[in-house]
Amino acid sequence: MGDATVTTRERLQDRVPHPVTERTGRGPLRRLRARFRARLRAPRRPRLWFEILLIGLSYWTYSLVRNAVPEQRAAALRNADWIWRVEQQLGIAVEESVNHAVNSVTWLVVGMNYYYATLHFVVTLGVLVWLYRSHPGRYAATRLVLFATTGVALVGYYLYPLAPPRLMNGGHFVDTVMVHQTWGSMASGDLKNMSNQYAAMPSMHIGWSVWCGLTIFALASVPWVRVLGLVYPALTLVVIVATANHFWLDAVGGLMCLAFGYGVALLWYGRLPYALPRVVPGAARRRVRLPGRA
């Protein structure tokens, strides 16, 4: 009697659908999704032609969108007055003094004008090339930081138009490019009509320069080069203020955008770009095998 009862129960249990079977059915799909996400996030060796095309197209899009933002002059001037009052209350409104002091030394202010107009692009591109050649495993993640930083800055230009100090009503700031007739700056002079003059917040001179500085400091092996990585954004901060192109608080906005960029990279890759392998693992194995084949 007891044996028959046990046998009957076993048969009934075999007939009842077991919940584990449903889970095991979903298991392969979940594993497939996980593998797909891991493959999508895994560092890959960058392709030169693709990177040139991507960077060129991205900068063209950035310039197009930035300059397409309506130049809301009245709002931009009101915002500039508000920023100036806030800085005065905080006791950091020294931009005018710095501007006048630097403007009194011709060779210094002319050098800063060219610094502002050129190094913003030259150094950033140089760091990208260095990453591509020396740190291919970290290149894509570090580039993502730069792109995300720039992308969110465009939102800032649209939502918060801001006039630079040199364009403030009743201000006594010196437009150093106009006064000293230097070339190359999109902020003043003959090229000002090609650029949105009221897109001072956030400062991408700071966002990009700090990105360059942190990347160089984290990845360079030569001590004096690492020191230069820290000096570069600090000097850039002085330049953007001395030339009356930005307030101190514009720099804070640039840092906030950069923090957003690092956050995006951290969410996507699961760690900071500098913690990723220097060389793409698959590419490293192929390099090791090549001499054996020969």
Side-chain angles (χ1 to χ4, degrees), residues 22-286:
E22 296 180 2
R23 293 198 191 109
T24 54
R26 296 176 183 176
L29 182 59
R30 290 179 179 176
R31 287 194 295 270
L32 184 62
R33 290 176 180 173
R35 289 177 183 175
F36 177 74
R37 286 196 299 266
R39 185 175 181 181
L40 194 63
R41 295 176 177 178
R44 296 185 179 88
R45 183 165 183 83
R47 298 179 181 179
L48 181 59
W49 67 267
F50 177 78
E51 294 303 324
I52 293 175
L53 181 63
L54 179 63
I55 292 172
L57 183 62
S58 298
Y59 182 72
W60 176 81
T61 304
Y62 164 76
S63 300
L64 185 67
V65 173
R66 182 182 186 274
N67 297 333
V69 173
E71 289 197 357
Q72 305 174 53
R73 184 175 183 274
L77 292 172
R78 285 196 304 270
N79 291 336
D81 291 336
W82 184 85
I83 289 284
W84 188 238
R85 287 195 302 270
V86 169
E87 289 193 351
Q88 287 175 333
Q89 293 173 0
L90 295 174
I92 60 173
V94 297
E95 291 93 332
E96 186 175 328
S97 299
V98 174
N99 173 240
H100 283 230
V102 172
N103 186 66
S104 64
V105 184
T106 302
W107 65 266
L108 181 59
V109 70
V110 169
M112 286 190 173
N113 284 341
Y114 288 126
Y115 181 113
Y116 185 88
T118 59
L119 291 191
H120 179 51
F121 307 104
V122 173
V123 176
T124 304
L125 287 175
V127 172
L128 282 170
V129 171
W130 173 62
L131 283 170
Y132 176 87
R133 292 177 57 86
S134 302
H135 299 267
R138 298 160 179 158
Y139 173 85
T142 314
R143 183 200 61 200
L144 176 61
V145 173
L146 184 65
F147 279 27
T149 299
T150 307
V152 75
L154 291 174
V155 179
Y157 298 147
Y158 185 84
L159 296 179
Y160 195 78
L162 180 66
R166 58 187 172 78
L167 294 182
M168 287 180 64
N169 284 330
H172 301 285
F173 289 91
V174 178
D175 189 334
T176 58
V177 170
M178 291 291 291
V179 170
H180 298 279
Q181 297 296 310
T182 51
W183 56 267
S185 175
M186 298 294 289
S188 303
D190 295 334
L191 297 178
K192 65 181 180 181
N193 294 327
M194 299 173 60
S195 178
N196 184 357
Q197 296 297 291
Y198 302 107
M201 172 69 83
S203 169
M204 280 298 93
H205 274 76
I206 291 301
W208 289 11
S209 66
V210 175
W211 174 86
C212 291
L214 290 177
T215 301
I216 293 170
F217 182 79
L219 301 180
S221 57
V222 181
W224 66 267
V225 175
R226 300 183 71 199
V227 172
L228 282 180
L230 298 180
V231 170
Y232 173 58
L235 186 56
T236 300
L237 177 60
V238 175
V239 168
I240 66 172
V241 170
T243 56
N245 281 296
H246 288 283
F247 297 98
W248 294 120
L249 291 182
D250 298 344
V252 176
L255 291 176
M256 292 174 64
C257 291
L258 183 63
F260 172 83
Y262 277 106
V264 170
L266 182 61
L267 287 174
W268 183 254
Y269 288 96
R271 50 183 143 168
L272 290 174
Y274 313 130
L276 294 170
R278 177 174 182 172
V279 180
V280 180
R285 287 195 295 270
R286 287 193 294 271

